[in-house]
């Protein structure tokens, strides 16, 4: 007798399949020269924002807590990853290995930031948590803006001014305060972005489908009831928050190493809101929705530019956002979709029942 695959496992394999299929299709298009240079330049950032959307959905959609400072974790990962890649340039000439190490360091630094913020902040709820995470993102941006980091034969040097670095002869300044990280060798690749998306899906889906994931979902649905049966609120909240921050840090490292220069202002409040928009439009708690909305909405302005309507592309982009919000929040449309799903499900059950009877 065949053992039926659970719905969560089936959805997980569908997500993997969509990502893998999209990767090979885009690879074929690039190889055939069907994608313009501008669209090709968006592939790696799109992968980064897809990871950001899935990781933020872990906090907002699955844990049920509003975070407005997710770009802060991305910036931690970006600049720590850049510093790692530049500092190891002489010791590790292999580009893929250096990129992998930079992303691991970015994830660890992002997780550390998640612990520092999460331990005191996750005792708050609602608007208070959102305000504190927003402040954290701004604090990180301001700190990096005044930070100078360099490397020489003696190791890393960190200071608040260029004169205070005091690098030895032949030393390299990696982060130059308001100028950010300049002169960085680009290491990121579309393949690395694809692998990071798969790792993110594996981490998030396994967490959600585990015992810890069920505890996190219980906290989202009813904190008081979950706490009354012994669920450790702070532990599971911190688990989801730190995992989300670590994935954002890895995405930030890949994003930072995709450009020759990166400034802290790139990871401001607007970036956090952009990722939140991806999550909301894709559906709170929907991993597949976050992937699709982040990919489509990030490249949509560039696609509209390709149709010679550059002056109207942002207007069309805004209209598309409004229409998606209206459609996803329309009770009539949602009931229609649910009814269609139930009808298809009942037809499938009837077919399976007939098939089972024939086999018997």
């Amino acid at each position: 007798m065949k053992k039926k695959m659970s719905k969560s496992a089936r959805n997980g394999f569908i997500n993997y399949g969509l990502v893998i299929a999209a990767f090979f299709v885009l690879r074929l298009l690039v190889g055939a020269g069907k994608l313009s240079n501008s669209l090709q330049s968006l592939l790696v950032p799109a992968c980064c924002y897809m990871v950001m959307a899935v990781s933020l959905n872990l906090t907002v959609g699955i844990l049920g807590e509003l975070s407005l400072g997710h770009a802060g974790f991305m910036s931690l990962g970006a600049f720590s990853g850049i510093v790692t890649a530049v500092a190891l340039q002489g010791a590790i000439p292999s580009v893929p290995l250096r990129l992998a190490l930079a992303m691991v360091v970015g994830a660890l630094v992002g997780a550390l930031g998640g612990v520092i913020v999460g331990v005191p902040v996750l005792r708050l709820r609602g608007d208070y948590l959102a305000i504190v995470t927003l402040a954290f993102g701004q604090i990180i941006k301001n700190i990096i803006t005044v930070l100078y980091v360099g490397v020489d034969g003696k190791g890393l040097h960190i200071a608040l001014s260029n004169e205070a670095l005091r690098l030895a002869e032949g030393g390299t300044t990696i982060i130059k305060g308001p100028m950010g990280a300049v002169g960085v060798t680009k290491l990121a690749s579309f393949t690395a972005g694809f692998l990071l998306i798969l790792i993110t899906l594996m981490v998030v889906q396994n967490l959600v489908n585990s015992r810890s994931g069920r505890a996190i979902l219980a906290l989202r649905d009813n904190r008081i009831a979950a706490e009354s049966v012994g669920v450790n609120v702070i532990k599971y909240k911190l688990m989801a928050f730190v995992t989300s921050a670590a994935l954002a840090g890895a995405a930030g490292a890949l994003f930072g190493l995709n450009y020759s220069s990166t400034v802290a202002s790139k990871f401001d409040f607007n970036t956090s809101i952009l990722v939140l928009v991806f999550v909301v439009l894709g559906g709170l708690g929907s991993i597949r929705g976050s992937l699709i909305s982040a990919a489509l909405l990030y490249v949509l302005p560039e696609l509209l530019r390709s149709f010679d309507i550059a002056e109207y592309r942002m207007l069309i982009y805004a209209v598309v956002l409004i229409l998606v919000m209206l459609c996803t929040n329309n009770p009539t449309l949602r009931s229609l979709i649910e009814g269609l799903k139930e009808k298809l499900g009942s037809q499938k059950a009837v077919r399976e029942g007939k098939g089972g009877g024939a086999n018997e």
Side-chain angles (χ1 to χ4, degrees):
M1 186 175 182
K2 291 184 178 180
K3 184 179 180 181
K4 289 188 66 176
M5 184 183 295
S6 66
K7 183 179 179 181
S8 58
R10 186 168 62 250
N11 286 333
F13 282 115
I14 291 174
N15 293 339
Y16 290 128
L18 286 175
V19 172
I20 293 171
F23 173 75
F24 282 109
V25 168
L26 289 171
R27 273 296 184 194
L28 291 174
L29 291 176
V30 171
K34 299 297 184 181
L35 285 184
S36 64
N37 291 332
S38 58
L39 284 176
Q40 290 184 41
S41 67
L42 296 180
L43 292 178
V44 174
C47 291
C48 297
Y49 279 107
M50 289 167 73
V51 173
M52 288 288 291
V54 173
S55 64
L56 182 60
N57 208 347
L58 180 59
T59 299
V60 178
I62 296 170
L63 178 60
E65 298 290 355
L66 180 60
S67 173
L68 298 180
H70 209 54
F73 302 118
M74 189 181 188
S75 66
L76 286 176
F79 287 99
S80 61
I82 290 172
V83 170
T84 301
V86 175
L88 296 177
Q89 191 167 0
I92 304 177
S94 173
V95 170
L97 180 57
R98 197 147 35 98
L99 176 60
L101 287 174
M103 291 167 65
V104 169
V105 171
L108 292 175
V109 173
L112 179 61
V115 172
I116 293 173
V117 176
V119 169
V121 167
L122 288 177
R123 300 177 186 275
L124 304 173
R125 280 186 284 175
D127 297 339
Y128 299 103
L129 176 62
I131 292 171
V132 174
T133 54
L134 169 62
F136 164 74
Q138 295 300 108
I139 289 170
I140 292 298
K141 187 192 77 169
N142 292 332
I143 290 175
I144 295 175
T145 301
V146 300
L147 200 62
Y148 290 80
V149 179
V151 61
D152 59 15
K154 298 179 180 179
L156 284 176
H157 298 258
I158 302 175
L160 297 179
S161 67
N162 195 25
E163 295 76 13
L165 271 180
R166 298 176 182 175
L167 296 176
E169 187 176 352
T172 303
T173 303
I174 304 172
I175 300 178
K176 300 181 178 180
M179 295 176 62
V182 295
V184 179
T185 302
K186 294 190 283 186
L187 305 179
S189 66
F190 180 42
T191 302
F194 161 71
L195 292 175
L196 181 59
I197 293 174
L198 290 183
I199 292 171
T200 301
L201 287 176
M202 182 179 66
V203 170
V204 173
Q205 291 179 163
N206 285 339
L207 175 61
V208 172
N209 296 326
S210 67
R211 180 179 179 182
S212 299
R214 290 190 289 272
I216 292 169
L217 291 171
L219 289 173
R220 180 195 66 182
D221 295 336
N222 194 318
R223 172 178 172 146
I224 296 175
E227 200 170 7
S228 68
V229 295
V231 175
N232 190 323
V233 175
I234 300 301
K235 173 187 173 182
Y236 289 109
K237 275 192 172 186
L238 193 62
M239 182 184 298
F241 195 74
V242 171
T243 303
S244 175
L247 294 173
L254 182 66
F255 185 89
L257 290 169
N258 188 54
Y259 301 98
S260 58
S261 62
T262 304
V263 293
S265 58
K266 176 63 181 175
F267 309 100
D268 59 2
F269 172 68
N270 293 325
T271 303
S272 295
I273 294 300
L274 177 65
V275 179
L276 184 61
V277 167
F278 294 156
V279 173
V280 173
L281 291 182
L284 294 178
S286 173
I287 297 174
R288 191 181 311 150
S290 295
L291 290 172
I292 295 173
S293 65
L296 291 181
L297 294 177
Y298 183 75
V299 301
L300 182 60
E302 187 61 37
L303 289 174
L304 294 175
R305 188 197 296 270
S306 303
F307 292 104
D308 296 327
I309 49 175
E311 61 270 23
Y312 301 112
R313 73 183 192 283
M314 295 312 293
L315 174 61
I316 297 173
Y317 181 69
V319 170
V320 169
L321 291 180
I322 294 172
L323 290 176
V324 172
M325 286 297 294
L326 290 175
C327 290
T328 55
N329 290 280
N330 187 301
T332 304
L333 183 61
R334 289 175 65 179
S335 61
L336 181 64
I337 294 173
E338 291 298 326
L340 184 62
K341 285 183 178 179
E342 290 178 1
K343 185 176 180 180
L344 292 175
S346 60
Q347 290 178 354
K348 183 178 178 181
V350 170
R351 287 197 301 270
E352 290 179 350
K354 291 180 178 179
N359 290 332
E360 290 174 358

